[in-house]
Amino acid sequence: MLSIPYRFFNYETYDRCLKEIIENTHNQFKVEEHEPIGFSTCGFPLRHYSIGNGPFEIVYMGGAHGNEIIGVDFIIHYMKNLALGNGVFSSFRPDLFRIHFFPIQNPEGFFTTTYAITEVCKDLDFEAFCKDYYRNYREANQAILGIHTILEAFCEKEQRNHSLNSWKEDFWVTYYGHNITVDQLREFLEEKLDDKIDNKYLEDLWNQYILSKVICCPWAYQRPFEGVDYHCIPEVSQSHQALRNHLKDMFSSHHYPKAMYANFCANAIGVNLNENNEPYFREQKAILQEGKQVMVAPIYGSFPKNIVGPFGMPSDGMETFSYAIENRAVLDFLKKHHERIYAFVNCHSTGGMLFFNPYYEKDNTECDFSFYINNRLATEYLKEIRRSFLRNGVDDSYQAMGYPNRVSGFGDVLRRTYPASFLLELSKAGGNPLGPYIHPNYELTMKVNMEASQSLWKTILEVQDLYGKTYRKYYDVLGRVRYEESVRTRKK
């Protein structure tokens, strides 16, 4: 039976739990601790563990975004249950598989978020606090969607659909941090339209889509964290001290809302590890060169994310692109082990989705079987997710996602480079970082994904030969599709 205690990890509990997993005398399968794959900006180790010694290697990574803390929990619970041989893991074959674990890719973001939460929740009922947080987060999202719906209605009425995105952005830049009423929205619309508007039409829309007379900003879910600052980081090591100093400089230089300490996405120098990829860097740079701004979503604060900050920029400078050292560590590991890795699972937080498509195949070019491999593994994983939900009395499933033509995240870079590289959004309950901790979502999220993970083992064995093959698709003189297949060393 799987063991999934409801708990919250910060630096101390995370460190202690990993030691307990390694040293547990009841382990059925040995946990091996390796040298870190690298170190963060502040010098925190990017830890690396593995279970099994088989030729088929699978990597699980959590904590790319600091505020997506449930991904770290999942990795820890997975390691513990696999080591003990609990439940579905009793059939694990260490002679066939080797499972690598990178519990936290972004320790600086994770520790910033979790220390802030620890500071606020030390005298509170944590589960009750998470329920309030989740409810307040949903209400904030509903208010934002309501405002956007009203703006869209006026854009359509005035035949200004091309202005909608800029209207949304301008509205939250203007009013975030202030209480918002129908009067503020009227002023905003009249300024944009340079004319008086139909007051009754606006008030009818407000009453239809906004659940209160006043939208209060900052949002209710953020307010408990307004008293938190860099002092929540204890000075227990040089890395902690470096993190404190980076946070102090960042928040004093740009005056971010202090509530962002508990929803810190980037690393200590303000680099968002998922957005830290060259295609997105070039895309964002082009937007800035047009005189436009790249903004954080209004649910988090509507401040620029192309400068050093809690949601970060794609690189540590906007002139030239460079990978953050945390991303470079992952890339170096995958390059070194590429011929032995059969799946890479990048665990993020909310949405209940599996991103899997690497690219579209093109005619008359040599292709590998990544598209087929990814689809097979993803299909079986999603089928098992649904079966697991049903076994637990819930009629639910995860959504298959893929955007082959556009790279928007580091996870997309990996999906376009390595076969069976997936980005997994774990929780069906939204609201980072604490929304996924509502009961019973927390335990169910862990359980269905652990049970589904065994589908990867079976499917990898079924399609293993395809990892080393390529083919060329072409058309014969009669217009029929033909394939030429070849075998070669797996691409780096």
Side-chain angles (χ1 to χ4, degrees), residues 60-249:
Y60 279 86
M61 183 177 78
H65 285 151
N67 60 351
E68 300 191 2
I69 59 180
I70 195 173
V72 177
D73 292 33
F74 174 67
I75 299 293
I76 294 174
H77 287 308
Y78 190 123
M79 282 180 59
K80 180 188 68 177
N81 281 278
L82 177 57
L84 291 170
N86 287 341
V88 294
F89 297 128
S90 62
S91 61
F92 177 66
R93 291 282 303 276
D95 59 321
L96 286 178
F97 293 97
R98 188 179 197 184
I99 315 297
H100 297 273
F101 299 97
F102 306 156
I104 305 179
Q105 190 204 5
N106 178 9
E108 296 161 3
F110 176 83
F111 295 148
T112 299
T113 295
T114 54
Y115 275 129
I117 295 170
T118 300
E119 177 71 18
V120 168
C121 294
K122 57 188 175 183
D123 297 320
L124 301 176
D125 181 317
F126 180 71
E127 185 174 353
F129 183 82
C130 291
K131 289 179 179 177
D132 287 340
Y133 181 99
Y134 177 70
R135 183 185 67 255
N136 290 329
Y137 187 96
R138 284 175 59 86
E139 289 177 357
N141 253 332
Q142 288 169 351
I144 293 167
L145 290 174
I147 291 291
H148 289 177
T149 301
I150 296 172
L151 293 177
E152 183 175 5
F154 273 89
C155 272
E156 291 178 353
K157 185 178 181 182
E158 302 295 331
Q159 297 183 340
R160 301 195 184 194
N161 292 335
H162 63 283
S163 303
L164 180 58
N165 288 334
S166 63
W167 280 20
K168 291 177 181 178
E169 185 175 287
D170 289 349
F171 180 85
W172 293 109
V173 169
T174 303
Y175 291 103
Y176 179 81
H178 301 82
N179 290 343
I180 302 167
T181 67
V182 70
D183 293 330
Q184 274 83 45
L185 186 53
R186 181 185 299 108
E187 290 175 4
F188 177 83
L189 288 167
E190 289 179 347
E191 181 179 343
K192 288 294 182 184
L193 297 170
D194 196 25
D195 196 3
K196 296 293 183 181
I197 64 170
D198 185 336
N199 284 332
K200 185 177 185 309
Y201 179 60
L202 173 60
E203 290 172 359
D204 287 345
L205 289 174
W206 182 280
N207 292 332
Q208 180 179 355
Y209 294 110
I210 307 298
L211 302 180
S212 61
K213 291 185 177 181
V214 180
I215 297 174
C216 297
C217 290
W219 310 112
Y221 83 92
Q222 295 176 315
R223 289 176 208 147
F225 301 101
E226 288 189 299
V228 177
D229 64 13
Y230 66 92
H231 290 98
C232 70
I233 310 294
E235 300 181 80
V236 295
S237 71
Q238 289 184 342
S239 295
H240 282 77
Q241 182 62 60
L243 176 57
R244 278 172 62 111
N245 292 338
H246 278 298
L247 295 172
K248 180 181 178 181
D249 292 344

